[in-house]
Amino acid sequence: MLVDSPPEPSAETAPAPPERRAVRAAGLLLSLAVLVLVALASIAIGAKELSLEQVWHGLFQDSGTYGDVVVGERLSRTVLGLLVGAALGLAGAVLQALTRNPLADPGLLGINAGASAAVVTAITFFGVTSLSGYVWFAFAGAAGVGVLVFFLGGSRGATPVRLALAGTAISAALYGYLQAVMITDEAALGKMRFWTVGSLASATSDIIWQVLPFLVAGTVLALALARPLNAMAMGDDTARALGAHLNRTRALSMAAATVLCGAATAACGPIVFVGLMVPHVVRSFTGPDLRWILPYATVLSPVLLLGADVVGRVVARPAELQVGIVTAILGGPVFIFLVRRRRTAQL
C-alpha cells in the first residue's frame, strides 16, 4: 500500500499567483464546456442509431417511439451518469486526501463491497427483484461498512493507515461472503451478474429521484471539507496548529465518501477506476489544493463516465458494453502507469 508522507507546509499555505488562479478558473470553465458536449453526445448517440433530427424530434416534440428512446432512456441515463460520475470523482478525491494516498479509490474503505454484499443478501434472503429495491439495500450496506471502518480504524484515534487497513480487511471478508452466496444460489448469481459489472442501462427517473437527495447532501459536505482537508494534508500537528478539528474532519470525510459512494453504487453497481483516475489526473495540473481538486473532479469525472458509456454503446451495436467494463479496460493500464511513475519518482 502506498501512503504519502505529509507534504511540506509551504506546498499548501503559499497562495497561488493571480495568473495561476485565472488559468485554473479558465480550465474549469473549459471542463464544463467539455462536460456539456459529452452530455449532448450521450443523448444523441446510442445502441439504436438515430439521426440528429430524430433525436431533436424525440427530445422536444414526440412522445412516441423517438420520445421513448431519447427521453425515456438516453436522457435519464445521461442525468444519472452526470450525478454518479460527479459522486465517484468527489468521493475518490476526498478519500485520497483522507488517507493521504493518491492511489486510493472508493473501494479502498470497503464501501463497494458493503453495497454488493447487501444487494446479494436482499436477492437471496429477502426475495428483492427490482432495481428500486436494490437501491436501499445497497445504500444501507455501504453506509454500514463506512461506519464500521471508521470505528475499527480507531474512531477518535483514526489514522489514514488504520482506516485503509480496516477497509481492506472488511472488503476481503465481504467479498468472500459474496462469492460464497453467489456460488450456492444460481438465482442470485444470475441477477447479480449484471449489477456487479456496473451499468447505466437501467437508469430511470425513479432511481434518479431516490438517490438525488443523498448525492446532493454528499456533494455539499465534500466541497465544504476542502479547507480542513488541506490543513490535514500538512500533518496532524500542523493541522491542529491551524485550528483544524482532526476527528471531526475525518468523521465528516468518511460520511461524505460513504454517502456519495453508497448512492452511486446503489444506482449503478460498483463502477471502478473513476474515483481513482480523475482526482489523480486533476492533481497533476491543479496542485495539491483541494479547493480546486474537488470542483475539477466533480466536473471531469462525469466526462469520463459518460464518455465510457457512449463508447460502450457504439462498439457493440446493436448490443452494448456496460460502462463498468469500459472504465475497467481504460483504468487498468492507467493504474499500472500511475504506480510505475510513482515508483520511478521515489527511486
Side-chain angles (χ1 to χ4, degrees):
M1 181 180 300
L2 299 172
V3 180
D4 273 0
S5 58
E8 294 297 324
S10 59
E12 290 285 349
T13 58
E19 297 82 2
R20 187 172 184 183
R21 290 199 297 269
V23 170
R24 287 170 173 173
L28 191 58
L29 291 175
L30 178 61
S31 300
L32 284 169
V34 173
L35 177 59
V36 170
L37 292 176
V38 173
L40 292 174
S42 178
I43 295 172
I45 302 171
K48 181 179 178 62
E49 295 189 51
L50 297 177
S51 66
L52 291 178
E53 181 181 357
Q54 290 170 329
V55 171
W56 181 270
H57 191 69
L59 195 57
F60 295 106
Q61 301 174 14
D62 183 18
S63 59
T65 303
Y66 297 147
D68 290 341
V69 173
V70 177
V71 177
E73 297 178 13
R74 294 186 189 176
L75 185 59
S76 296
R77 187 170 183 156
T78 301
V79 171
L80 186 61
L82 289 169
L83 295 172
V84 167
L88 292 175
L90 260 180
V94 168
L95 289 177
Q96 288 173 14
L98 176 65
T99 61
R100 298 175 193 165
N101 181 356
L103 299 181
D105 74 341
L108 180 67
L109 298 185
I111 295 170
N112 287 347
S116 299
V119 169
V120 77
T121 299
I123 293 171
T124 305
F125 300 108
F126 297 100
V128 178
T129 58
S130 66
L131 188 61
S132 59
Y134 298 167
V135 167
W136 298 107
F137 278 91
F139 185 77
V145 168
V147 172
L148 184 60
V149 167
F150 182 69
F151 281 102
L152 289 180
S155 187
R156 292 182 177 274
T159 64
V161 174
R162 286 181 180 179
L163 290 172
L165 290 175
T168 301
I170 292 174
S171 292
L174 289 178
Y175 278 124
Y177 163 77
L178 184 68
Q179 294 300 320
V181 174
M182 291 174 64
I183 289 173
T184 57
D185 190 329
E186 293 185 5
L189 176 61
K191 291 173 183 175
M192 281 289 294
R193 186 179 298 150
F194 180 79
W195 186 84
T196 53
V197 168
S199 174
L200 297 173
S202 300
T204 65
S205 59
D206 289 341
I207 297 296
I208 292 171
W209 284 113
Q210 286 179 29
V211 299
L212 182 61
F214 300 105
L215 294 176
V216 171
T219 298
V220 172
L221 179 57
L223 293 174
L225 290 169
R227 286 182 180 274
L229 284 173
N230 270 347
M232 287 179 59
M234 293 182 285
D236 290 356
D237 293 337
T238 304
R240 289 191 189 96
L242 292 173
H245 299 276
L246 301 186
N247 295 328
R248 184 174 68 187
T249 300
R250 288 188 178 116
L252 291 176
S253 298
M254 281 291 299
T258 298
V259 169
L260 290 169
C261 293
T265 305
C268 303
I271 297 176
V272 298
F273 288 117
V274 175
L276 165 67
M277 286 191 294
V278 176
H280 193 89
V281 172
V282 164
R283 193 179 296 106
S284 68
F285 58 82
T286 64
D289 192 345
L290 284 160
R291 292 172 297 179
W292 289 102
I293 292 174
L294 296 182
Y296 265 101
T298 305
V299 174
L300 291 179
S301 295
V303 171
L304 173 61
L305 187 63
L306 287 177
D309 191 43
V310 171
V311 170
R313 288 184 248 171
V314 172
V315 297
R317 281 177 172 168
E320 65 178 66
L321 203 60
Q322 283 77 18
V323 67
I325 297 175
V326 179
T327 58
I329 293 173
L330 295 174
V334 172
F335 182 76
I336 293 172
F337 170 76
L338 294 176
V339 172
R340 288 182 61 85
R341 191 177 70 171
R342 281 183 56 79
R343 283 183 178 176
T344 301
Q346 291 174 354
L347 291 178

